[in-house]
Amino acid sequence: MGPIFWWMLLGMALATYIPRMIPLTLLEGKALPPVVSGVLRNIPFAVLGALIFPAILFVQEGNLLFGVIGAATAFLIAGLGGGVMSVVLGTIAALAVYSLFM
């Protein structure tokens, strides 16, 4: 491992540390406006949706119905008030049954 490795490691550490440190130091003890708080609160849901939606479409190449059935099952169980584990296990079970008859 040459010196370039250590410089890259230091650069990557700074690239992840600085965006986390700046809000902590600049906004410490200050209340954010409600609009900003609302936007920041919804970012994880938007990112999760952006990550999951393409996976639904391409979960099994050539079989779009597989992903649609999985998503519909997950939405149904979650809509009925199921927890994360019941949504995951229920979706796996539904797709396993679908795979048997496919």
Side-chain angles (χ1 to χ4, degrees):
M1 286 187 263
I4 188 78
F5 173 80
W6 296 109
W7 284 112
M8 284 185 357
L9 186 66
L10 178 66
M12 290 185 289
L14 288 173
T16 59
Y17 179 72
I18 289 173
R20 296 172 189 204
M21 185 239 353
I22 289 174
L24 278 174
T25 56
L26 295 180
L27 300 175
E28 186 177 5
K30 296 179 184 172
L32 293 174
V35 174
V36 174
S37 293
V39 169
L40 291 176
R41 203 172 307 124
N42 289 318
I43 286 176
F45 299 112
V47 171
L48 187 62
L51 290 173
I52 290 176
F53 185 72
I56 290 171
L57 299 177
F58 300 113
V59 68
Q60 194 175 57
E61 193 169 326
N63 189 3
L64 181 64
L65 192 57
F66 193 81
V68 171
I69 289 173
T73 304
F75 283 126
L76 178 69
I77 296 171
L80 293 173
V84 173
M85 192 56 89
S86 61
V87 170
V88 170
L89 294 176
T91 304
I92 290 171
L95 291 176
V97 168
Y98 173 72
S99 294
L100 288 175
F101 296 109
M102 191 172 118

